[in-house]
Every structure is written in C-alpha cells, then in structure tokens.
Amino acid sequence: MRVLRRGDAGPDVAEIRSILAAMDLLPPVTDSGEYGVFDTSVEHAVRAFQQRRGLIIDGLVGPATYQALKGASFHLGSRPLQYMLSSPVHGDDVFTLQERLTELGFDSGRPDGYFGPQTERALKTFQRDMRLASDGICGPATIRELHRLSSPRARGGRPVFLREQEQVRQAGPRLRGKRIVIDPGHGGDDLGVIAGGLREADIAWDLARRLEGRMKATGMEALISRGPNQSPTELERARFANEAGADLFLSLHNDGNPSPKAQGVASFHFGTGNGTTSTVGELLAGFIQRELAARTGLLDCRTHYKTWEIFTRTRCPAVRVEIGYLTNPDDSGKLADPAFRDVVAEGILVAVKRLYLLGEGDQPTGTFTFADVLAHELAKAE
C-alpha cells in the first residue's frame, strides 16, 4: 500500500477516517467534501492512535499503522476466528481472545493479535474443557462461554511471562551455553539513517560483530540475524530467532531526526500499555539503557514499550536499542570512533550478564567490565 500522509485524499483516506471516528479519535464528518481528505485533524488522530498502540508516532499511515487500524476495527465476537495457514487472521479480537484464554489459564502464547497454531491449541483445549465442539473456531458458542467466565475470580495470571522469568532464574548466572541472536538493523540496499558520512546499516553490523566476539569469548552461542549484504524483514528476523531457539534477541539500531538537536540512546521492549509486557524484556532493556547511558555519555532517553512486529513475532524476550542519532554531531562523532563502539558492545554484554546474575554478586551500573564478566565465568566453572 502507499503511505498516506497529510494532504492526501481518496477512498483510502475515507476508510482511515471512518476507523478513527469509530474509535472516538475523530468527530463524525459533517461536510461530505472533507470525508476523504487527510487533513491536520486526521494526522493528530493518527498520532494519538500510534501512541496508544506503541507504534512509531509519525502521523503517517504506512503498512504497520494501517494493519493496526484495520485490526482495531474488530472486537471479539464481530467475526468467527480460526487458524488459517496461508493468511493468518489478525486484529484486536484475536488479541482479546488470547488475553482471555491466558487469564483463564490456557496457554495461547504471547498475546500478539495473530491467530496462530498455539492460539488454536489453547482454544481447542478451552472448548474441550467447556464441553463444546473442539474445532478451533471461535464462534458464538465459544464467545458465550468466554463471556460467562468473565468474572475476575476466573483469572489466572499471565503464564507466558511468568515462564520467561522462571527460565531466566533456572538458567543460572553463567553465560556459557546461552544462545543470543544479535540483530543488526537494516542491511543490503536498506542503509537506514545516513548522515555525517555514516550509514546506520554499517554501524549496526560493526556493533554486532564486536558484540558477537565478546559473547563468544564468554562461552555464549552468539548468532547474527543477517549477513552484511542482506536485509531481511522483521518477520524473517523473528523467524530466525525462533528457529534458532534463542534465549534472547538483541536488535541494534541508530536513530535520525530532522532536528540535529535530537540525541541520545533509548531501549525498547514488548508491551501494550495495558499491563501486558515482557517482564524479562523490560528488565533487560532497563539494564542495557542504564549501562549505555552511564558508559557512553549519550543522553538517557529511557526505555519504552512497543508493539513492533519484531517483538510480537519473536517468542523469546527481545530488546531493540537505538544507539545515538547519526543526525546529531555529538552522537555521530562518538559512533564514528571504533573505541566508542567497543564501549557500547561491552555495555550490552554486561547488561546481559546482569540479567542472569539476578542480583548475585552484581556491581554498580557502569563499573562491571568485560574482564569482570570473564572472571565470574571462570569462577563459576571451578
């Protein structure tokens, strides 16, 4: 689809306006001449929607925002839901179903709004336990049972995220044997942000190789999601991590902004803003953010939850780090220095170590070194 922006007009814009109005983000159109026009009010409404959904807030309706808008037009019960291999069903109704099944103790996996095989298995188990036809189709009878069990007393927590925490605890403090997928952003013909003589794809690749070397030195199994001349989609990157059985997924990027004053480092993890969050992803994002802010002198732009596809489709805890703005002279000057990129790689490695230490023998932020990590690994091996 074409990207819709302020000034565009036509039936595609009319569809967007209709969805936003149904969500009370736009008032009903009284002038028929305005119905298919992407004006300032539509842009503001799109930005508000993007903020609610953890999307990039740019006021543009591209593929990710359009898919989220279309999904928001469905509520649980508005259509039958079932698993379709060729074209997975997606929408808010699927997300609500996944949340409801999870709260009732049926493992539908991470709530991502996609009706996949794990959601189908959880639904069939629920139907069987409720003595319904166990056909994996969420129709009227299944909806009635879900509504009947809507009492808060019937809720059983979010086991998918509790399992994440338990897996980290059981994995122990040593890094040896843990499998990490390092995901350098962009690549191939997609160079990402280009500014100050630097290209985001090249910086991300270099950081990934530096981090890979340090991780392998500790005994970790570090895998890079792409080659130097490849540019897989977010879904392909997530699939790579899932098929590898990764314990963690780390995506490395740099940022850019029309204003040269924009600067700093920010970290992102899966979360919806309504209490659904990857607890391990959030914890790791916090460790990475604090380590990099303390070690690099980059402005601390904090951690944020997002519903990007790289988070919703990756089964392990995932974090994306935006390491400086190439459009900012100070940040780009630092990133151009190989020694600075070594500092970044060490900070990320230490953050991963701190995640698995769970407070055991930990040290203040910014003081734990690569040599300390290696010494701790050797001590634990004895």
Side-chain angles (χ1 to χ4, degrees):
M1 63 165 288
R2 68 187 180 106
V3 176
L4 301 175
R5 51 173 51 85
R6 187 171 56 185
D8 287 340
D12 291 342
V13 177
E15 179 188 22
I16 299 303
R17 292 195 74 126
S18 177
I19 295 173
L20 291 169
M23 299 176 65
D24 294 326
L25 290 173
L26 273 178
V29 176
T30 55
D31 183 350
S32 60
E34 297 178 355
Y35 191 65
V37 178
F38 198 126
D39 56 18
T40 303
S41 65
V42 175
E43 181 180 10
H44 290 166
V46 169
R47 288 179 179 274
F49 174 79
Q50 290 170 328
Q51 184 177 35
R52 285 186 184 181
R53 296 304 175 104
L55 300 167
I56 295 175
I57 305 170
D58 56 12
L60 307 177
V61 180
T65 297
Y66 179 74
Q67 184 182 51
L69 282 165
K70 287 289 289 183
S73 65
F74 297 106
H75 63 272
L76 189 60
S78 62
R79 58 177 175 169
L81 298 174
Q82 65 183 109
Y83 175 53
M84 299 174 64
L85 179 62
S86 59
S87 180
V89 178
H90 171 266
D92 280 18
D93 50 351
V94 179
F95 184 88
T96 302
L97 172 64
Q98 292 169 327
E99 286 265 87
R100 193 73 195 100
L101 288 170
T102 299
E103 289 166 350
L104 292 169
F106 298 90
D107 183 11
S108 61
R110 178 176 298 185
D112 59 7
Y114 289 88
F115 198 114
Q118 192 165 356
T119 301
E120 182 186 45
R121 287 194 295 271
L123 179 60
K124 285 183 175 180
T125 303
F126 170 78
Q127 290 172 325
R128 185 195 65 218
D129 290 358
M130 296 299 108
R131 299 184 179 180
L132 301 171
S134 184
D135 55 10
I137 300 174
C138 186
T142 301
I143 295 294
R144 284 195 296 272
E145 284 300 303
L146 288 169
H147 286 326
R148 186 177 68 82
L149 296 172
S150 61
S151 166
R153 289 174 297 179
R155 297 174 182 264
R158 302 179 190 273
V160 64
F161 300 120
L162 294 175
R163 277 198 300 275
E164 281 187 358
Q165 297 176 67
E166 182 61 17
Q167 285 170 357
V168 168
R169 189 189 68 80
Q170 291 187 357
R174 291 192 68 197
L175 295 181
R176 177 170 296 279
K178 294 179 172 63
R179 184 173 298 170
I180 312 297
V181 168
I182 307 168
D183 175 48
H186 306 280
D189 295 333
D190 177 11
L191 299 176
V193 178
I194 304 175
L198 300 176
R199 306 189 303 186
E200 181 182 1
D202 298 337
I203 296 293
W205 175 255
D206 182 76
L207 283 170
R209 293 303 304 271
R210 292 171 191 270
L211 182 56
E212 176 194 33
R214 285 163 174 76
M215 286 186 164
K216 286 185 174 180
T218 69
M220 301 178 80
E221 186 176 354
L223 308 172
I224 297 182
S225 65
R226 68 165 175 90
N229 300 311
Q230 296 174 321
S231 181
T233 65
E234 287 203 343
L235 180 57
E236 290 169 338
R237 296 169 194 260
R239 185 180 297 125
F240 176 86
N242 293 340
E243 291 176 352
D247 296 303
L248 298 173
F249 181 92
L250 302 173
S251 189
L252 309 178
H253 286 257
N254 307 116
D255 218 331
N257 193 282
S259 170
K261 294 183 179 180
Q263 63 182 120
V265 57
S267 302
F268 302 86
H269 61 89
F270 172 75
T272 63
N274 67 352
T276 299
T277 185
S278 168
T279 49
V280 173
E282 183 176 3
L283 185 61
L284 178 57
F287 283 141
I288 292 175
Q289 184 65 25
R290 290 190 291 274
E291 287 294 337
L292 294 188
R295 293 165 184 268
T296 65
L298 293 171
L299 181 67
D300 185 355
C301 296
R302 299 177 295 178
T303 62
H304 308 270
Y305 61 83
K306 293 293 179 183
T307 57
W308 294 333
E309 193 169 41
I310 199 65
F311 294 148
T312 61
R313 308 308 294 275
T314 307
R315 289 197 289 266
C316 64
V319 171
R320 171 169 164 169
V321 194
E322 297 280 353
I323 308 161
Y325 282 73
L326 297 184
T327 49
N328 177 269
D330 290 338
D331 285 5
S332 64
K334 291 177 179 178
L335 286 162
D337 183 359
F340 178 83
R341 299 198 290 271
D342 279 337
V343 172
V344 171
E346 180 177 73
I348 294 174
L349 174 68
V350 167
V352 172
K353 178 65 174 177
R354 292 185 65 195
L355 173 73
Y356 286 106
L357 280 173
L358 294 174
E360 176 193 334
D362 208 349
Q363 297 183 27
T365 300
T367 63
F368 209 30
T369 67
F370 179 49
D372 292 330
V373 172
L374 292 177
H376 190 275
E377 292 294 307
L378 290 173
K380 288 293 181 182
E382 296 175 353

Short mmCIF file of all heavy atoms in Angstrom, two decimals, residues 122-165:
data_model
loop_
_atom_site.label_atom_id
_atom_site.label_comp_id
_atom_site.label_asym_id
_atom_site.label_seq_id
_atom_site.Cartn_x
_atom_site.Cartn_y
_atom_site.Cartn_z
N ALA A 122 -4.72 -23.67 22.27
CA ALA A 122 -5.31 -23.20 23.53
C ALA A 122 -6.82 -23.12 23.41
O ALA A 122 -7.55 -23.49 24.35
CB ALA A 122 -4.73 -21.83 23.89
N LEU A 123 -7.31 -22.66 22.28
CA LEU A 123 -8.76 -22.54 22.08
C LEU A 123 -9.42 -23.91 22.07
O LEU A 123 -10.48 -24.11 22.68
CB LEU A 123 -9.05 -21.80 20.78
CG LEU A 123 -10.52 -21.61 20.42
CD1 LEU A 123 -11.24 -20.80 21.50
CD2 LEU A 123 -10.67 -20.92 19.06
N LYS A 124 -8.81 -24.87 21.40
CA LYS A 124 -9.37 -26.23 21.37
C LYS A 124 -9.41 -26.84 22.77
O LYS A 124 -10.38 -27.52 23.13
CB LYS A 124 -8.54 -27.12 20.43
CG LYS A 124 -8.79 -26.85 18.95
CD LYS A 124 -7.99 -27.83 18.09
CE LYS A 124 -8.31 -27.66 16.61
NZ LYS A 124 -7.55 -28.60 15.77
N THR A 125 -8.36 -26.61 23.55
CA THR A 125 -8.35 -27.13 24.92
C THR A 125 -9.46 -26.49 25.74
O THR A 125 -10.16 -27.16 26.51
CB THR A 125 -6.98 -26.86 25.58
OG1 THR A 125 -5.95 -27.44 24.79
CG2 THR A 125 -6.94 -27.45 26.98
N PHE A 126 -9.63 -25.17 25.60
CA PHE A 126 -10.71 -24.47 26.29
C PHE A 126 -12.07 -25.04 25.87
O PHE A 126 -12.94 -25.32 26.72
CB PHE A 126 -10.65 -22.98 25.97
CG PHE A 126 -11.84 -22.20 26.44
CD1 PHE A 126 -11.98 -21.84 27.78
CD2 PHE A 126 -12.85 -21.85 25.56
CE1 PHE A 126 -13.09 -21.13 28.22
CE2 PHE A 126 -13.96 -21.13 25.99
CZ PHE A 126 -14.08 -20.77 27.32
N GLN A 127 -12.26 -25.22 24.58
CA GLN A 127 -13.54 -25.75 24.08
C GLN A 127 -13.80 -27.15 24.62
O GLN A 127 -14.93 -27.47 25.04
CB GLN A 127 -13.54 -25.76 22.55
CG GLN A 127 -13.59 -24.37 21.93
CD GLN A 127 -13.38 -24.40 20.42
OE1 GLN A 127 -12.62 -25.23 19.90
NE2 GLN A 127 -14.07 -23.53 19.71
N ARG A 128 -12.77 -27.97 24.65
CA ARG A 128 -12.93 -29.33 25.17
C ARG A 128 -13.31 -29.30 26.64
O ARG A 128 -14.23 -30.02 27.07
CB ARG A 128 -11.63 -30.11 24.99
CG ARG A 128 -11.72 -31.59 25.38
CD ARG A 128 -10.35 -32.19 25.53
NE ARG A 128 -9.61 -31.56 26.63
CZ ARG A 128 -8.31 -31.28 26.60
NH1 ARG A 128 -7.58 -31.56 25.53
NH2 ARG A 128 -7.74 -30.73 27.65
N ASP A 129 -12.64 -28.45 27.42
CA ASP A 129 -12.94 -28.37 28.84
C ASP A 129 -14.33 -27.82 29.11
O ASP A 129 -14.94 -28.13 30.15
CB ASP A 129 -11.89 -27.51 29.55
CG ASP A 129 -10.53 -28.18 29.62
OD1 ASP A 129 -10.42 -29.34 29.16
OD2 ASP A 129 -9.59 -27.56 30.13
N MET A 130 -14.82 -26.98 28.21
CA MET A 130 -16.16 -26.41 28.35
C MET A 130 -17.24 -27.29 27.70
O MET A 130 -18.39 -26.91 27.60
CB MET A 130 -16.21 -25.01 27.73
CG MET A 130 -15.33 -23.97 28.41
SD MET A 130 -15.76 -23.68 30.14
CE MET A 130 -14.36 -24.49 30.95
N ARG A 131 -16.81 -28.47 27.21
CA ARG A 131 -17.71 -29.42 26.55
C ARG A 131 -18.39 -28.81 25.32
O ARG A 131 -19.57 -29.03 25.05
CB ARG A 131 -18.76 -29.94 27.54
CG ARG A 131 -18.13 -30.69 28.71
CD ARG A 131 -19.15 -31.28 29.63
NE ARG A 131 -18.51 -32.00 30.72
CZ ARG A 131 -19.17 -32.63 31.70
NH1 ARG A 131 -20.49 -32.59 31.71
NH2 ARG A 131 -18.51 -33.25 32.65
N LEU A 132 -17.57 -28.06 24.58
CA LEU A 132 -18.01 -27.51 23.30
C LEU A 132 -17.35 -28.33 22.19
O LEU A 132 -16.44 -29.12 22.44
CB LEU A 132 -17.59 -26.04 23.17
CG LEU A 132 -18.12 -25.07 24.22
CD1 LEU A 132 -17.42 -23.71 24.07
CD2 LEU A 132 -19.63 -24.91 24.10
N ALA A 133 -17.81 -28.11 20.97
CA ALA A 133 -17.15 -28.74 19.83
C ALA A 133 -15.73 -28.21 19.74
O ALA A 133 -15.51 -27.01 19.57
CB ALA A 133 -17.91 -28.43 18.55
N SER A 134 -14.74 -29.11 19.86
CA SER A 134 -13.34 -28.70 19.89
C SER A 134 -12.81 -28.56 18.47
O SER A 134 -12.00 -29.36 17.99
CB SER A 134 -12.51 -29.71 20.68
OG SER A 134 -11.18 -29.29 20.81
N ASP A 135 -13.31 -27.52 17.77
CA ASP A 135 -12.97 -27.34 16.36
C ASP A 135 -11.98 -26.21 16.11
O ASP A 135 -11.57 -25.97 14.97
CB ASP A 135 -14.24 -27.07 15.54
CG ASP A 135 -15.05 -25.89 16.07
OD1 ASP A 135 -14.54 -25.16 16.94
OD2 ASP A 135 -16.19 -25.71 15.61
N GLY A 136 -11.57 -25.49 17.16
CA GLY A 136 -10.62 -24.41 16.98
C GLY A 136 -11.18 -23.18 16.32
O GLY A 136 -10.42 -22.29 15.91
N ILE A 137 -12.51 -23.10 16.23
CA ILE A 137 -13.17 -21.92 15.64
C ILE A 137 -13.86 -21.15 16.76
O ILE A 137 -14.69 -21.70 17.48
CB ILE A 137 -14.20 -22.33 14.57
CG1 ILE A 137 -13.51 -23.11 13.43
CG2 ILE A 137 -14.91 -21.10 14.01
CD1 ILE A 137 -14.47 -23.67 12.41
N CYS A 138 -13.50 -19.91 16.91
CA CYS A 138 -14.10 -19.07 17.94
C CYS A 138 -15.37 -18.45 17.38
O CYS A 138 -15.34 -17.38 16.76
CB CYS A 138 -13.12 -17.99 18.40
SG CYS A 138 -13.71 -17.03 19.81
N GLY A 139 -16.48 -19.14 17.59
CA GLY A 139 -17.78 -18.69 17.11
C GLY A 139 -18.68 -18.30 18.27
O GLY A 139 -18.23 -18.15 19.41
N PRO A 140 -20.00 -18.17 18.01
CA PRO A 140 -20.94 -17.68 19.03
C PRO A 140 -20.94 -18.49 20.32
O PRO A 140 -20.96 -17.92 21.42
CB PRO A 140 -22.29 -17.75 18.33
CG PRO A 140 -21.96 -17.60 16.88
CD PRO A 140 -20.65 -18.31 16.69
N ALA A 141 -20.91 -19.82 20.23
CA ALA A 141 -20.96 -20.65 21.43
C ALA A 141 -19.72 -20.45 22.30
O ALA A 141 -19.81 -20.35 23.53
CB ALA A 141 -21.12 -22.12 21.06
N THR A 142 -18.57 -20.38 21.66
CA THR A 142 -17.33 -20.15 22.40
C THR A 142 -17.31 -18.77 23.03
O THR A 142 -16.88 -18.59 24.18
CB THR A 142 -16.12 -20.32 21.47
OG1 THR A 142 -16.13 -21.65 20.92
CG2 THR A 142 -14.81 -20.10 22.22
N ILE A 143 -17.80 -17.78 22.29
CA ILE A 143 -17.86 -16.41 22.81
C ILE A 143 -18.73 -16.35 24.06
O ILE A 143 -18.39 -15.69 25.06
CB ILE A 143 -18.40 -15.43 21.75
CG1 ILE A 143 -17.43 -15.34 20.56
CG2 ILE A 143 -18.64 -14.05 22.34
CD1 ILE A 143 -16.11 -14.72 20.90
N ARG A 144 -19.86 -17.05 24.02
CA ARG A 144 -20.76 -17.05 25.20
C ARG A 144 -20.06 -17.61 26.42
O ARG A 144 -20.20 -17.08 27.53
CB ARG A 144 -22.03 -17.86 24.88
CG ARG A 144 -23.03 -17.13 23.99
CD ARG A 144 -24.38 -17.82 24.04
NE ARG A 144 -24.33 -19.17 23.48
CZ ARG A 144 -24.50 -19.46 22.20
NH1 ARG A 144 -24.74 -18.48 21.32
NH2 ARG A 144 -24.45 -20.69 21.76
N GLU A 145 -19.28 -18.69 26.24
CA GLU A 145 -18.57 -19.28 27.37
C GLU A 145 -17.49 -18.34 27.90
O GLU A 145 -17.28 -18.21 29.10
CB GLU A 145 -17.95 -20.62 26.97
CG GLU A 145 -18.95 -21.76 26.88
CD GLU A 145 -19.65 -22.00 28.19
OE1 GLU A 145 -18.96 -22.26 29.20
OE2 GLU A 145 -20.89 -21.92 28.22
N LEU A 146 -16.80 -17.67 26.98
CA LEU A 146 -15.78 -16.71 27.40
C LEU A 146 -16.39 -15.56 28.20
O LEU A 146 -15.84 -15.11 29.21
CB LEU A 146 -15.03 -16.16 26.18
CG LEU A 146 -14.08 -17.13 25.48
CD1 LEU A 146 -13.63 -16.56 24.14
CD2 LEU A 146 -12.86 -17.42 26.36
N HIS A 147 -17.56 -15.08 27.75
CA HIS A 147 -18.24 -14.01 28.49
C HIS A 147 -18.77 -14.53 29.83
O HIS A 147 -18.75 -13.79 30.83
CB HIS A 147 -19.41 -13.46 27.65
CG HIS A 147 -18.97 -12.61 26.50
ND1 HIS A 147 -17.86 -11.80 26.55
CD2 HIS A 147 -19.50 -12.43 25.26
CE1 HIS A 147 -17.71 -11.15 25.41
NE2 HIS A 147 -18.69 -11.52 24.59
N ARG A 148 -19.23 -15.76 29.86
CA ARG A 148 -19.77 -16.32 31.10
C ARG A 148 -18.69 -16.40 32.18
O ARG A 148 -18.98 -16.26 33.37
CB ARG A 148 -20.34 -17.72 30.83
CG ARG A 148 -21.05 -18.34 32.03
CD ARG A 148 -21.64 -19.69 31.67
NE ARG A 148 -20.63 -20.69 31.42
CZ ARG A 148 -20.00 -21.39 32.36
NH1 ARG A 148 -20.27 -21.16 33.64
NH2 ARG A 148 -19.12 -22.30 32.04
N LEU A 149 -17.46 -16.61 31.74
CA LEU A 149 -16.34 -16.73 32.68
C LEU A 149 -15.59 -15.41 32.81
O LEU A 149 -14.38 -15.38 33.05
CB LEU A 149 -15.37 -17.81 32.20
CG LEU A 149 -15.94 -19.23 32.17
CD1 LEU A 149 -14.96 -20.18 31.51
CD2 LEU A 149 -16.28 -19.70 33.57
N SER A 150 -16.30 -14.32 32.68
CA SER A 150 -15.65 -13.00 32.70
C SER A 150 -15.41 -12.47 34.10
O SER A 150 -14.84 -11.41 34.27
CB SER A 150 -16.51 -11.98 31.93
OG SER A 150 -17.79 -11.84 32.53
N SER A 151 -15.84 -13.19 35.12
CA SER A 151 -15.62 -12.74 36.49
C SER A 151 -14.14 -12.65 36.80
O SER A 151 -13.36 -13.54 36.42
CB SER A 151 -16.28 -13.71 37.49
OG SER A 151 -15.82 -13.45 38.79
N PRO A 152 -13.69 -11.62 37.51
CA PRO A 152 -12.27 -11.52 37.89
C PRO A 152 -11.78 -12.72 38.68
O PRO A 152 -10.60 -13.02 38.67
CB PRO A 152 -12.22 -10.24 38.73
CG PRO A 152 -13.39 -9.43 38.28
CD PRO A 152 -14.46 -10.43 37.94
N ARG A 153 -12.71 -13.44 39.33
CA ARG A 153 -12.28 -14.60 40.11
C ARG A 153 -11.79 -15.72 39.21
O ARG A 153 -11.13 -16.65 39.66
CB ARG A 153 -13.45 -15.11 40.96
CG ARG A 153 -13.81 -14.19 42.11
CD ARG A 153 -15.04 -14.67 42.82
NE ARG A 153 -16.20 -14.67 41.95
CZ ARG A 153 -17.41 -15.07 42.31
NH1 ARG A 153 -17.63 -15.51 43.54
NH2 ARG A 153 -18.41 -15.04 41.46
N ALA A 154 -12.13 -15.65 37.91
CA ALA A 154 -11.73 -16.72 36.99
C ALA A 154 -10.41 -16.44 36.30
O ALA A 154 -10.07 -17.08 35.33
CB ALA A 154 -12.82 -16.91 35.93
N ARG A 155 -9.65 -15.46 36.78
CA ARG A 155 -8.41 -15.09 36.11
C ARG A 155 -7.21 -15.81 36.74
O ARG A 155 -7.15 -15.96 37.94
CB ARG A 155 -8.19 -13.56 36.18
CG ARG A 155 -9.29 -12.82 35.43
CD ARG A 155 -9.19 -11.31 35.60
NE ARG A 155 -10.29 -10.66 34.90
CZ ARG A 155 -10.23 -10.16 33.69
NH1 ARG A 155 -9.10 -10.26 33.02
NH2 ARG A 155 -11.27 -9.59 33.13
N GLY A 156 -6.26 -16.19 35.89
CA GLY A 156 -5.15 -16.99 36.38
C GLY A 156 -3.78 -16.43 36.08
O GLY A 156 -2.81 -17.17 36.04
N GLY A 157 -3.67 -15.14 35.80
CA GLY A 157 -2.36 -14.54 35.57
C GLY A 157 -1.93 -14.62 34.12
O GLY A 157 -2.70 -14.94 33.24
N ARG A 158 -0.65 -14.34 33.87
CA ARG A 158 -0.10 -14.33 32.52
C ARG A 158 1.07 -15.32 32.48
O ARG A 158 2.23 -14.92 32.62
CB ARG A 158 0.35 -12.92 32.13
CG ARG A 158 -0.78 -11.91 32.21
CD ARG A 158 -0.29 -10.51 31.85
NE ARG A 158 -1.31 -9.52 32.14
CZ ARG A 158 -2.28 -9.16 31.31
NH1 ARG A 158 -2.36 -9.74 30.13
NH2 ARG A 158 -3.16 -8.25 31.64
N PRO A 159 0.79 -16.61 32.30
CA PRO A 159 1.82 -17.63 32.46
C PRO A 159 2.96 -17.50 31.45
O PRO A 159 4.08 -17.89 31.75
CB PRO A 159 1.06 -18.95 32.25
CG PRO A 159 -0.20 -18.58 31.56
CD PRO A 159 -0.54 -17.21 32.02
N VAL A 160 2.70 -16.96 30.25
CA VAL A 160 3.77 -16.87 29.26
C VAL A 160 4.91 -15.99 29.78
O VAL A 160 6.09 -16.29 29.58
CB VAL A 160 3.24 -16.35 27.91
CG1 VAL A 160 2.71 -14.92 28.02
CG2 VAL A 160 4.33 -16.42 26.85
N PHE A 161 4.58 -14.93 30.52
CA PHE A 161 5.62 -14.04 31.03
C PHE A 161 6.19 -14.54 32.35
O PHE A 161 7.35 -14.30 32.66
CB PHE A 161 5.06 -12.62 31.17
CG PHE A 161 4.59 -12.06 29.85
CD1 PHE A 161 3.28 -11.67 29.67
CD2 PHE A 161 5.47 -11.97 28.78
CE1 PHE A 161 2.86 -11.17 28.45
CE2 PHE A 161 5.06 -11.47 27.55
CZ PHE A 161 3.75 -11.07 27.38
N LEU A 162 5.38 -15.27 33.11
CA LEU A 162 5.92 -15.91 34.31
C LEU A 162 6.94 -16.98 33.93
O LEU A 162 7.96 -17.15 34.61
CB LEU A 162 4.78 -16.54 35.12
CG LEU A 162 3.77 -15.56 35.73
CD1 LEU A 162 2.64 -16.32 36.40
CD2 LEU A 162 4.47 -14.65 36.74
N ARG A 163 6.69 -17.67 32.82
CA ARG A 163 7.64 -18.68 32.35
C ARG A 163 8.95 -18.03 31.92
O ARG A 163 10.03 -18.58 32.13
CB ARG A 163 7.04 -19.49 31.19
CG ARG A 163 6.14 -20.62 31.66
CD ARG A 163 5.93 -21.62 30.54
NE ARG A 163 5.31 -20.98 29.38
CZ ARG A 163 4.00 -20.81 29.23
NH1 ARG A 163 3.18 -21.21 30.18
NH2 ARG A 163 3.51 -20.24 28.15
N GLU A 164 8.86 -16.85 31.28
CA GLU A 164 10.08 -16.13 30.91
C GLU A 164 10.96 -15.90 32.12
O GLU A 164 12.17 -16.17 32.10
CB GLU A 164 9.74 -14.78 30.28
CG GLU A 164 9.30 -14.82 28.84
CD GLU A 164 9.15 -13.41 28.27
OE1 GLU A 164 9.34 -12.43 29.00
OE2 GLU A 164 8.86 -13.31 27.07
N GLN A 165 10.35 -15.41 33.21
CA GLN A 165 11.11 -15.14 34.42
C GLN A 165 11.71 -16.41 35.01
O GLN A 165 12.86 -16.43 35.45
CB GLN A 165 10.21 -14.46 35.45
CG GLN A 165 9.67 -13.12 35.03
CD GLN A 165 8.70 -12.56 36.05
OE1 GLN A 165 9.08 -12.22 37.15
NE2 GLN A 165 7.44 -12.48 35.68
#
